[in-house]
Amino acid sequence: MDEIPYSHAWAVLKKRHFNPDPYCSDLYKPKTLLTTYKYPIPPLPDRSEWNVPSNIDYDIVRPPKFKKLPSRPPKQLRDKLYKELLGKKSQNLCSTCGYKGHNRRSCRNGPREA
């Protein structure tokens, strides 16, 4: 409840007839926002006017050579994940014939011989 923006909490708590001050963070109250933006923030100068030290100026940071495009995983991996996450953990075992994959009620085989 501490990080609810003031306007959202104020609307809900006013409808419920509560005092919103103890429920809202001081960061979102109008008084704090006004004091935060009281002083203007100057924009950065042009890039040619920046004072950059020489040891940092020559460091070249390049992006990665390859970028993986957003897409679905390949079918092999997808099938494996579905089997692990959504598939049955164990199969039914028929008590009549002893085979896996069905139960006694849906058995079409004859009884097992002992």
Side-chain angles (χ1 to χ4, degrees):
M1 296 281 290
D2 189 45
E3 293 300 320
I4 298 174
Y6 187 76
S7 59
H8 297 289
W10 186 81
V12 172
L13 294 171
K14 183 180 177 188
K15 188 173 184 176
R16 301 281 181 192
H17 305 291
F18 287 111
N19 182 13
D21 286 335
Y23 294 99
C24 298
S25 174
D26 290 337
L27 296 172
Y28 298 110
K29 293 184 180 177
K31 182 179 176 184
T32 309
L33 287 173
L34 288 174
T35 55
T36 302
Y37 295 107
K38 183 166 67 171
Y39 302 107
I41 301 171
L44 286 172
D46 188 32
R47 190 173 184 159
S48 61
E49 298 175 11
W50 289 0
N51 185 11
V52 181
S54 61
N55 60 345
I56 296 175
D57 192 26
Y58 293 110
D59 286 344
I60 298 174
V61 178
R62 298 178 189 257
K65 289 184 179 181
F66 303 103
K67 181 179 179 184
K68 184 181 180 305
L69 297 173
S71 63
R72 293 176 68 174
K75 185 152 176 68
Q76 297 167 347
L77 294 175
R78 195 171 65 232
D79 289 344
K80 182 181 177 185
L81 290 174
Y82 283 139
K83 286 178 186 173
E84 288 177 1
L85 296 175
L86 303 176
K88 289 186 177 180
K89 302 298 181 203
S90 62
Q91 288 188 332
N92 295 337
L93 182 66
C94 179
S95 61
T96 304
C97 66
Y99 291 114
K100 290 183 178 180
H102 64 277
N103 56 17
R104 181 178 60 169
R105 189 174 193 169
S106 62
C107 182
R108 294 184 181 170
N109 303 328
R112 62 178 158 188
E113 297 176 13

